[in-house]
Amino acid sequence: MYDITNGLQALVARDFQFAHPRDADGGLVAVVGIRVHRGVFDIVQLFGENDADAARVPGDEPDVLFPSKVLWRTNGSAREVINELLALGDPAPDMGSPAAGCWMSTHAGRSTWLAASA
């Protein structure tokens, strides 16, 4: 079992990219990690030490933070969620459509996922 810090390092080693959304006053709202691979998005959102969730959604999902279709999901403490995500096996090579989009910085400390248009 990983602690939160080691778990985050393990996610980075698995090619997760992280954003740090902030409120209007610049306060950190969450730590959001996303990995795009094998036709799916793996997403983790850490809101606090005892409040986190993670999901795997198809690559063609237009809104990865509020998906309409979910292939896997968990929630709980940050430590539990990170460990469950790290234990999740890779999807089959052709599980979903290739993911289209990217993270874009919007301004100081903020970023957003932009889905590519067809």
Side-chain angles (χ1 to χ4, degrees):
M1 277 239 160
Y2 292 94
D3 65 19
I4 295 171
T5 300
N6 291 332
L8 289 170
Q9 291 171 340
L11 291 174
V12 169
R14 291 187 185 185
D15 297 324
F16 275 78
Q17 301 292 312
F18 286 86
H20 306 90
R22 299 183 179 276
D23 63 22
D25 296 325
L28 185 64
V29 174
V31 173
V32 179
I34 188 166
R35 174 174 69 161
V36 181
H37 69 123
R38 291 186 146 184
V40 299
F41 295 103
D42 286 339
I43 303 156
V44 61
Q45 299 181 98
L46 308 174
F47 302 104
E49 187 175 340
N50 295 307
D51 184 12
D53 64 59
R56 175 171 284 170
V57 299
D60 58 358
E61 177 62 46
D63 188 344
V64 297
L65 296 179
F66 300 99
S68 60
K69 184 175 180 183
V70 176
L71 304 171
W72 172 87
R73 174 171 273 157
T74 190
N75 60 59
S77 73
R79 182 173 172 263
E80 291 167 343
V81 167
I82 290 169
N83 280 295
E84 287 182 47
L85 183 56
L86 288 168
L88 185 64
D90 280 335
D94 54 358
M95 170 69 99
S97 302
C102 61
W103 282 105
M104 295 292 298
S105 290
T106 55
H107 63 293
R110 294 185 187 188
S111 59
T112 188
W113 176 261
L114 296 178
S117 54

